[in-house]
Amino acid sequence: MRRAVLAPPVLSSVVPQQGVRTGGTPVTLTGSGFGGATAVRFGTTPAASFAVLSATRIDAVTPPGNGTVHVTVSTAGGTSTQPVTFTYVTAVLPSVTSVTPDRGPAAGGTPVTLAGSGFGGATAVRFGTTPAASFTVVSAARIDAVTPAGSPGPAAVTVTTPGGTSVPQAPQSYFYYLAQPALSDLSPDRGPAAGGTPVTLAGSGFAGATAVRFGTTPAASFTVVSATRIDAVAPAGSPGPVAVTVTTPGGTSNSLTYTWAPAAVLSDAVPAAGPTSGGTIVTLTGSGLTLTGTVAFGGDSAAFTVVSDTLATAVSPPGAAGTVAVTVTTPGGTSNGVPYTYVPPPDI
């Protein structure tokens, strides 16, 4: 009976490709056919330790060494022959020269790029005393990391390698955690569905605001007056309530409610006439009357009572003989006009 012939493993890469001469650098070997690996060597020296994670990955720790050596993997099928190398370098203290971006929300989760030197074999990246949520050593001069959660304020970013831990240098090796913005007031908190209402937002953490939204719709415009105030212009929207939020590099705020009010519509005024001396109780019917702010007979304001969304009563003010338009103004705007006629007293 013929035995199956096992192929030797294939080694395609070692990451990182360099580390200190004293050994101890964690490296990842990728390739194929690693199942049952019996040895990992750096030159002729066995790895300090290794673990076969799968047929395509081995995690190993380098032994001491010098210069550039070939890395090999041995299994029952033989030893890899690909020209994959690892270079031993003199231990140097890593240095972080920039963090990009250098600010983000205190909740963490910001992808950042660390530039500097001596990153080969990095074993830790910390923001203050907190380990990065994750990090990848791209090269001896670059690490890609994800920030952990932190407290608002500056945090020193450090990299640890077998050569030691970098020394923080302000401001280039600092990350600034930003507080999440908070909304406390909207004034006014309603306006016409057509948009265009100037709205003042009060709160905290507004510095660097990148967006103000009414629901999912961006404000027509906004100006960051200070860290506690934003002046915005409401966009158009459908009648009804909507959540207003502020977004900054620190995150998105809580929401406050703004209401797009429908425009009032008047259909009738009964009675449609009264004396020039005023004092006539006039019943107004229509729609959208709940938020009535003023009732006018021509240019004169009248006392009024809102009975329902479709009914209001008003007391006609004195006026000159003739016909005027009765209108209702709400946060949704000014309604159409219905006629009311002032009748002069009879001649005696």
Side-chain angles (χ1 to χ4, degrees):
M1 184 175 181
R2 178 178 295 178
R3 291 185 177 180
V5 177
L6 298 177
V10 174
L11 179 60
S12 56
S13 69
V14 174
V15 178
Q17 294 179 306
Q18 63 180 27
V20 294
R21 294 176 179 175
T22 54
T25 303
V27 296
T28 296
L29 287 62
T30 57
S32 61
F34 292 165
T38 55
V40 173
R41 290 185 173 84
F42 289 75
T44 59
T45 307
S49 66
F50 72 92
V52 180
L53 300 188
S54 69
T56 60
R57 174 176 171 177
I58 292 175
D59 284 354
V61 176
T62 63
N66 288 284
T68 298
V69 298
H70 282 89
V71 183
T72 58
V73 175
S74 296
T75 68
T79 298
S80 61
T81 58
Q82 291 72 37
V84 176
T85 60
F86 181 85
T87 300
Y88 286 98
V89 296
T90 302
V92 294
L93 194 66
S95 173
V96 178
T97 56
S98 70
V99 180
T100 307
D102 66 353
R103 59 200 62 215
T110 303
V112 297
T113 297
L114 281 58
S117 60
F119 294 163
T123 55
V125 173
R126 291 185 175 84
F127 291 73
T129 59
T130 307
S134 65
F135 72 92
T136 302
V137 180
V138 180
S139 70
R142 173 179 170 179
I143 291 177
D144 289 346
V146 176
T147 63
S151 300
V157 181
T158 58
V159 173
T160 299
T161 70
T165 298
S166 61
V167 177
Q169 300 292 325
Q172 62 265 33
S173 61
Y174 276 73
F175 182 84
Y176 298 85
Y177 283 109
L178 303 176
Q180 185 175 9
L183 271 175
S184 59
D185 188 53
L186 297 178
S187 182
D189 64 359
R190 60 196 64 219
T197 302
V199 180
T200 297
L201 286 64
S204 61
F206 293 164
T210 55
V212 173
R213 291 185 174 86
F214 289 68
T216 58
T217 306
S221 65
F222 72 91
T223 301
V224 180
V225 179
S226 69
T228 60
R229 173 179 169 180
I230 291 176
D231 289 346
V233 175
S238 299
V242 67
V244 178
T245 58
V246 174
T247 299
T248 72
T252 297
S253 71
N254 60 304
S255 65
L256 293 180
T257 300
Y258 180 86
T259 301
W260 275 306
V265 176
L266 286 178
S267 56
D268 201 11
V270 177
T276 56
S277 58
T280 302
I281 297 176
V282 180
T283 298
L284 304 173
T285 56
S287 63
L289 305 182
T290 299
L291 300 177
T292 296
T294 59
V295 174
F297 285 66
D300 298 318
S301 296
F304 68 92
T305 300
V306 175
V307 179
S308 69
D309 194 61
T310 59
L311 184 67
T313 60
V315 179
S316 65
T323 300
V324 297
V326 180
T327 58
V328 170
T329 299
T330 72
T334 299
S335 72
N336 59 303
V338 292
Y340 179 84
T341 301
Y342 283 105
V343 179
D347 292 332
I348 297 177

